[in-house]
Amino acid sequence: MAVETEAVTVPELALADTDINWDRLDKTRFHIIGAILFTAQSALLHPTSVVKTRMQVAGSGFSHMGGISVFRHILKSDGIPGIFRGFGTSAIGSLPGRVLALTSLEVSKDMMLKYIEDLDMPEATRIGIANAVAGMFSNLVSCVYYVPLDVICQRLMVQGLPGTTSCNRPFDVIHKVIKAEGLRGLYRGFGLTAVTQSPASALWWGAYGSAQHIIWRSLGYTDDAEKKPSHMEMVTVQAAAGMMAGACSSIITTPIDTVKTRLQVMDNYGVGRPSVLKTAKALLKEDGWRGFYRGFGPRFLNMSLYGTTMIVTYELIKRLSVRRE
C-alpha cells in the first residue's frame, strides 16, 4: 500500500517498505491526528455531498439541474450555511465512528497479511488482497455506527424539500424518526449499504493497491532497486492511485447511492414502509435508467477528490504516528 519510512525525516523511501503496520503505530497519536486531519478534509468536501443529496431527492426541483447550478442555487438561497447543512452533526458524530473504522481497518489488514504471508503469490497481489479484505471488514463494522448518522445528516441536508419531514436539530430528527418508525427507522438502507458498500470498499482498496503498484513499476521503481522515490513522488503516486480508485468506485456505486439516499430521506411513499424495491421502481418510473445516475457529477467529483485527499491524509497520519523506538 503506502510507501513506508523509518522516520518522518528520512529523505528517501524504499519501495520494499510498502506498509506501516498497526503494531508500529502510536495508537493515541494516530487517532488524535486522524480526527483533526480527517475533519478538515470532510469540511472541504461536504458541499459536494449536499449538492449530490439534493439532486437525488424527488420533487426537489434539482434532479434535472447540473451540479454547478444546484450549488449556485443553494448558495444564493441559503448562503454559506446552506452548503454546510449537516456538517456539524457529521463532523462531531464521525469521531467515534472514525476510531472504529480505522482501528478495524488496520487490525484486520495486519491479521490478513500474516495469514497469507506463506502463500505463493506476488507481493503486490498479497498486499491487494489484504487491503481488500480489510476494507470490506472495516466497512461492515462501521456501517453499524455510520448508517444512523448518515440518515440524520441527509435529513438535515434536504430540509424544506417536498416529501421530507421538517426537523430543526439532530436530536429532533432522531426523535421524529424513532416516533414514526422506531429504532429501525434510523437504519433505513442499512442492508443496502452493507451489502453494496462493503464490496465497493474492497474494490476501492484493491484498486488503490493495484494502481499504486502499476504506477511505481511504470516509473521504473522496484523493491530491490537502488533507485528510491522522494517524498514528493510518493505523495504524487498515492494521490493519483487514490483518484483512480475513487473514480472507478463512483461509477459502480452511484446507482446504489441514489436508491439509498431516497430511501433514507423520503417519507411520502404512501402506504407501508419504504423499501429498496419500491424506491427503485419509483426512480425508474420517474426518469428511466438515467435516474439512477442522478447526482453522478458531484458524486464523481466527491469520490475522486475524497479518494485523493483521504489516502494522502491517511498515509501522512500513519507516518506522523510511527512509534519512536
Side-chain angles (χ1 to χ4, degrees):
M1 192 178 149
V3 178
E4 183 183 65
T5 67
E6 289 299 323
V8 177
T9 56
V10 176
E12 291 187 326
L13 307 160
L15 276 187
D17 297 326
T18 54
D19 195 17
I20 299 176
N21 293 327
W22 178 246
D23 56 1
R24 294 191 57 209
L25 296 174
D26 181 322
K27 311 305 185 296
T28 301
R29 194 190 315 167
F30 176 67
H31 289 305
I32 291 176
I33 296 175
I36 295 171
L37 294 185
F38 275 129
T39 298
Q41 180 215 17
S42 297
L44 293 174
L45 298 178
H46 190 78
T48 63
S49 183
V50 174
V51 171
K52 181 269 299 180
T53 300
R54 291 205 162 205
M55 289 177 69
Q56 291 176 335
V57 175
S60 65
F62 299 132
S63 57
H64 298 290
M65 295 172 61
I68 295 177
S69 298
V70 174
F71 178 81
R72 288 175 177 171
H73 184 279
I74 297 173
L75 202 57
K76 184 178 180 180
S77 60
D78 298 326
I80 297 297
I83 61 174
F84 281 96
R85 276 189 177 177
F87 174 69
T89 302
S90 175
I92 296 173
S94 292
L95 294 177
R98 194 168 289 123
V99 171
L100 180 65
L102 294 181
T103 300
S104 59
L105 176 71
E106 287 298 323
V107 171
S108 58
K109 182 175 64 177
D110 196 41
M111 291 176 62
M112 193 63 191
L113 281 170
K114 291 177 181 177
Y115 182 76
I116 63 176
E117 64 181 351
D118 294 328
L119 297 181
D120 184 18
M121 64 177 67
E123 186 64 20
T125 303
R126 191 191 322 277
I127 293 173
I129 291 174
N131 286 344
V133 171
M136 177 178 287
F137 178 74
S138 175
N139 187 268
L140 282 171
V141 171
S142 59
C143 273
V144 176
Y145 180 87
Y146 274 115
V147 168
L149 181 64
D150 202 26
V151 170
I152 295 168
C153 292
Q154 289 187 337
R155 281 178 173 259
L156 291 174
M157 289 179 191
V158 298
Q159 284 302 293
L161 299 184
T164 61
T165 302
S166 177
C167 301
N168 296 319
R169 304 283 181 185
F171 287 108
D172 188 32
V173 175
I174 296 173
H175 173 73
K176 290 182 177 178
V177 170
I178 292 180
K179 184 178 180 180
E181 301 181 54
L183 187 61
R184 65 181 297 187
L186 291 174
Y187 280 90
R188 272 196 194 179
F190 176 81
L192 187 64
T193 301
V195 169
T196 59
Q197 289 195 7
S198 295
S201 180
L203 171 66
W204 194 97
W205 285 99
Y208 169 71
S210 298
Q212 186 176 204
H213 179 76
I214 292 171
I215 294 173
W216 281 128
R217 295 306 182 266
S218 67
L219 293 176
Y221 290 102
T222 62
D223 292 340
D224 301 325
E226 294 183 1
K227 181 183 178 182
K228 298 180 180 180
S230 66
H231 286 279
M232 183 56 68
E233 285 178 307
M234 179 190 65
V235 171
T236 301
V237 169
Q238 290 173 351
M243 180 173 289
M244 291 177 187
C248 291
S249 184
S250 67
I251 294 173
I252 295 171
T253 61
T254 293
I256 300 299
D257 184 70
T258 302
V259 174
K260 178 183 71 71
T261 299
R262 284 282 201 95
L263 186 63
Q264 290 177 334
V265 305
M266 298 299 287
D267 293 312
N268 63 342
Y269 275 83
V271 180
R273 187 172 184 268
S275 66
V276 173
L277 185 60
K278 187 185 295 185
T279 304
K281 284 182 177 179
L283 192 60
L284 191 61
K285 183 178 180 180
E286 288 170 18
D287 217 12
W289 290 105
R290 62 179 297 181
F292 289 93
Y293 276 89
R294 282 182 180 177
F296 174 71
R299 180 170 171 79
F300 183 88
L301 179 63
N302 180 284
M303 292 197 69
S304 296
L305 291 177
Y306 176 81
T308 302
T309 57
M310 183 278 287
I311 201 63
V312 171
T313 301
Y314 181 63
E315 301 294 3
L316 174 62
I317 291 168
K318 291 177 71 175
R319 291 197 299 278
L320 293 175
S321 303
V322 173
R323 187 188 297 113
R324 295 184 178 89
E325 301 297 340

